[in-house]
Amino acid sequence: MNAIKSILPFVFILSVIQFSAQDLTVVPRPNSVHWGEGSFSLSSAVTIRADKALKNELRHLSNFLQKGFGEKPRENKRGGIRLKIDQTLAEKNEEGYQLEVSQNGIVIKGASPTGVFYGIQTFRQLLPPEFESDDKSTAVDLPSVTITDEPRFPWRAFMLDESRHFKGKETVKKLLDQMAYLKMNTFHWHLTDDQGWRIEIKKYPKLTEIGSFRTDTQAERKSELRTGEPHSGHYTQDDIKEIIAYAKERHINIVPEIEMPGHAMAAVAAYHWLGTLRTTKEVPVTFGKMDDSFDVTDPKVVSFLKDVLDEVMNLFPGQVVHIGGDEVNFEPWLQNEHMVEYMEAKHMKSPMDLQISFTNEISNYIDKAGKRMMGWNEILGHQVHEDRGTSGTVSEKLAPSAIVHFWKGDLSLVHKAVEEGYEVVNSNHWDTYLDYTYQRLPLEKSYAFDPVPEGLKPEYHSQILGLGTQMWSEWIPTVESMERQIFPRLAAYAEVGWTEGEHKDYQAFQNALEGVQYTWGQNGIHYHQEE
Ligand code: TNX
């Protein structure tokens, strides 16, 4: 009886998706879909098989089928579902895949395990979302189809700020699951900021002993109201390793962010000699742009930062290390006698020159470790903050290997950066900030975002690596409040990063989103719904 009940919705939904490619309900929307004749009946009797290099992917597939059918599928040479590496697909895109459903079975091929993994995510979404519910299924009829798909951009990132409000391992894993489901490949982990240092650094234990703890928290924007509760939390290096491994299984690279020279007050509270003001004694309990920053003219401070980066680069296997670089208040630098003397001795024309020259030293240091530095677009030296005086004359030039993370200022700055040869990730705040309300950044606007700014000459397009969407966490103390800011906008950004502009279709996205939202509901994820 139960089995019959659970098949009914499948028959209905599947008969709908058989009509035309328009009805394919997969997010992000695949780039090429060809419907065939006939169908494949998927049941608990289905066997699976994979190339040796695809053990991890086979496990994901097996777990998924077990969830739906209530029993583990058998592995068998003839395999009703086959996972294969196909080098010929590499010519196009390492992350691409082909998914073929025919009367004879299902084949998922990729040039790399990553491609196959993404093929499995599409397969998941081809099934009715109820498949992943607690009601066990007996069979699903899948229409014959060939999907050939690859991402538009290599950088499809989600950023979580854990400094302002720490969320912890289980929440991060849940988010990584959702990123993988939506084929996002970069988790940008904002681990340090003024209001909390969240990563254990063995050489400097006070960073977490003192810097991960604050006594209170501002409760509302522009308000004196405080929660009255202390807030703390950090990741040990073992925790970090666990998360890295979890992300790797889901083909997600983690880009750690260690902010410098600004957004540094939690570190300064731990080791007072790091700061420029000499007055920072505690981790701030309020939010907004702060005044203190690392004193980058002191060789001891620069050595400290290199020591921190050594541990970070040792931990994280990825190529890119984010060093922040945004919103430095230069006023205290200009008030600090010894910093002014340093700038004069080095013939620096402005504090911006000092920031760039420091950033270049760090960039060279990261290059030497075989990695690459990334920073918010202030590191280019342009004036982007109206409220912070002028940067003055800037004569230093950012190191060419740096990846520019555009978030603020005129779009012409993106044009300029790529023309000067830089690679850029576009996170324009108007279009990608998940802390913004849905009124200010509605789903449709998120969906419409194009990381390649209008009018950019085609020869520069490949320098736009992709996009990031950012969950700044000042005003999301709880997981639920965070989830409502992230979902469903994350799905829109996944499609922005994956689907070619000509294949994007907001109506189709909204239809497909219904299934995705059902799955979120099943996984206990809160999402915002339009009124
Ligand atoms: C600006 S974006 C910041 C963050 C804040 C965010 C709030 C960026 C590089 N800096 O420190 O959390 O605005 O929207």
Side-chain angles (χ1 to χ4, degrees):
M1 186 50 204
N2 243 350
I4 295 173
K5 239 183 25 208
S6 58
I7 302 172
L8 282 176
F10 299 162
V11 173
F12 171 69
I13 291 170
L14 289 172
S15 61
V16 173
I17 62 170
Q18 256 171 324
F19 281 123
S20 75
Q22 286 305 315
D23 297 304
L24 186 80
T25 52
V26 175
V27 181
R29 190 169 169 81
N31 284 299
S32 155
V33 180
H34 291 284
W35 296 100
E37 296 289 319
S39 62
F40 177 75
S41 172
L42 184 71
S43 71
S44 60
V46 73
T47 55
I48 56 176
R49 178 190 172 183
D51 289 0
K52 274 207 189 74
L54 298 170
K55 280 217 173 72
N56 170 54
E57 289 62 41
L58 188 70
R59 198 163 32 88
H60 278 280
L61 175 68
S62 174
N63 289 345
F64 167 66
L65 291 169
Q66 184 175 9
K67 207 169 168 195
F69 291 126
E71 51 186 296
K72 234 181 166 41
R74 275 184 308 118
E75 279 181 52
N76 169 312
K77 272 221 166 94
R78 266 186 298 185
I81 306 181
R82 290 195 56 181
L83 306 182
K84 280 178 27 175
I85 293 286
D86 182 349
Q87 291 302 340
T88 61
L89 294 170
E91 281 164 30
K92 293 178 81 185
N93 192 313
E94 272 290 314
E95 293 185 295
Y97 69 90
Q98 198 172 66
L99 164 62
E100 222 181 289
V101 179
S102 72
Q103 284 155 336
N104 305 325
I106 297 170
V107 183
I108 301 174
K109 297 191 283 195
S112 67
T114 310
V116 173
F117 183 79
Y118 291 147
I120 295 170
Q121 301 314 315
T122 295
F123 169 65
R124 266 179 84 178
Q125 291 192 34
L126 277 186
L127 298 181
E130 292 84 351
F131 186 74
E132 295 190 45
S133 75
D134 290 336
D135 283 343
K136 295 303 160 217
S137 322
T138 52
V140 186
D141 233 10
L142 277 175
S144 290
V145 67
T146 301
I147 298 176
T148 311
D149 201 12
E150 61 180 45
R152 178 178 175 203
F153 294 105
W155 191 287
R156 305 181 300 280
F158 163 72
M159 189 210 82
L160 180 64
D161 164 13
E162 289 220 76
S163 168
R164 276 61 176 266
H165 281 101
F166 180 75
K167 296 294 189 300
K169 266 198 295 198
E170 290 321 306
T171 301
V172 168
K173 286 183 181 173
K174 203 168 155 193
L175 288 166
L176 291 169
D177 286 343
Q178 296 317 312
M179 286 178 66
Y181 181 60
L182 295 167
K183 306 187 179 83
M184 296 184 88
N185 64 1
T186 306
F187 177 51
H188 169 186
W189 209 359
H190 189 82
L191 287 164
T192 74
D193 212 303
D194 297 307
Q195 294 80 10
W197 184 283
R198 307 287 177 217
I199 172 174
E200 175 192 27
I201 300 295
K202 303 224 189 236
K203 191 163 181 183
Y204 301 101
K206 284 203 249 169
L207 284 173
T208 44
E209 280 164 22
I210 295 174
S212 76
F213 178 88
R214 62 173 186 260
T215 53
D216 207 341
T217 299
Q218 183 179 356
E220 279 170 14
R221 280 190 173 87
K222 296 182 184 140
S223 159
E224 294 299 314
L225 197 68
R226 303 286 177 266
T227 61
E229 304 274 339
H231 184 83
S232 64
H234 76 273
Y235 293 103
T236 65
Q237 294 201 356
D238 281 343
D239 290 334
I240 301 254
K241 285 181 194 151
E242 186 184 323
I243 298 280
I244 291 170
Y246 193 86
K248 189 172 172 226
E249 284 174 12
R250 285 154 185 78
H251 298 275
I252 294 170
N253 178 45
I254 306 189
V255 174
E257 181 179 350
I258 307 295
E259 279 264 21
M260 60 189 80
H263 288 281
M265 286 179 74
V268 180
Y271 297 99
H272 300 165
W273 49 269
L274 291 169
T276 56
L277 285 177
R278 311 283 163 198
T279 52
T280 303
K281 304 280 183 246
E282 283 186 346
V283 178
V285 303
T286 57
F287 301 115
K289 293 185 198 172
M290 299 288 161
D291 290 334
D292 212 353
S293 50
F294 291 121
D295 178 356
V296 296
T297 63
D298 180 349
K300 212 177 137 209
V301 175
V302 176
S303 296
F304 161 89
L305 291 169
K306 289 180 178 171
D307 290 341
V308 169
L309 287 173
D310 281 344
E311 291 195 29
V312 169
M313 290 193 287
N314 250 324
L315 265 175
F316 290 91
Q319 272 294 299
V320 180
V321 181
H322 204 301
I323 58 92
D326 57 306
E327 298 183 326
V328 183
N329 188 359
F330 292 139
E331 247 344 278
W333 290 16
L334 295 169
Q335 305 296 324
N336 181 318
E337 224 173 283
H338 119 97
M339 291 186 84
V340 171
E341 273 168 27
Y342 179 97
M343 287 186 254
E344 280 170 4
K346 302 261 175 182
H347 308 292
M348 289 176 176
K349 299 204 168 59
S350 66
M352 194 69 232
D353 274 345
L354 175 55
Q355 182 179 352
I356 298 176
S357 115
F358 156 75
T359 303
N360 286 347
E361 183 173 349
I362 295 296
S363 174
N364 292 337
Y365 190 73
I366 293 174
D367 283 350
K368 279 200 195 100
K371 307 218 180 209
R372 240 179 125 180
M373 188 196 76
M374 176 167 184
W376 299 107
N377 63 296
E378 280 94 331
I379 61 175
L380 277 171
H382 302 122
Q383 175 75 42
V384 293
H385 297 286
E386 314 71 27
D387 58 339
R388 294 235 141 159
T390 59
S391 318
T393 321
V394 178
S395 48
E396 293 279 340
K397 190 167 163 43
L398 177 67
S401 61
I403 299 175
V404 174
H405 200 174
F406 179 76
W407 74 282
K408 194 172 170 75
D410 198 85
L411 278 180
S412 63
L413 297 179
V414 176
H415 290 249
K416 213 162 163 245
V418 291
E419 281 162 21
E420 287 176 12
Y422 296 104
E423 290 191 312
V424 173
V425 171
N426 195 341
S427 286
N428 190 5
H429 70 110
W430 298 113
D431 296 303
T432 67
Y433 272 29
L434 292 164
D435 53 322
Y436 292 1
T437 62
Y438 282 84
Q439 240 172 350
R440 190 168 174 195
L441 178 50
L443 182 62
E444 192 165 3
K445 187 172 180 202
S446 301
Y447 187 82
F449 175 53
D450 188 347
V452 176
E454 221 179 290
L456 191 74
K457 290 198 192 118
E459 70 231 59
Y460 297 123
H461 286 197
S462 65
Q463 282 165 251
I464 306 288
L465 298 178
L467 81 152
T469 178
Q470 292 68 225
M471 184 68 264
W472 298 106
S473 69
E474 291 95 330
W475 314 111
I476 48 151
T478 65
V479 172
E480 181 175 337
S481 60
M482 172 192 77
E483 288 177 348
R484 291 194 196 281
Q485 293 297 117
I486 297 175
F487 303 101
R489 287 186 288 206
L490 192 69
Y493 295 116
E495 190 148 319
V496 167
W498 185 278
T499 309
E500 293 292 340
E502 73 210 74
H503 299 138
K504 279 173 70 190
D505 175 336
Y506 188 57
Q507 188 56 50
F509 167 73
Q510 281 180 304
N511 293 343
L513 196 56
E514 284 176 27
V516 174
Q517 285 175 334
Y518 181 92
T519 309
W520 288 337
Q522 291 289 312
N523 287 299
I525 290 168
H526 305 90
Y527 54 91
H528 170 86
Q529 275 172 304
E530 308 274 297
E531 262 114 60

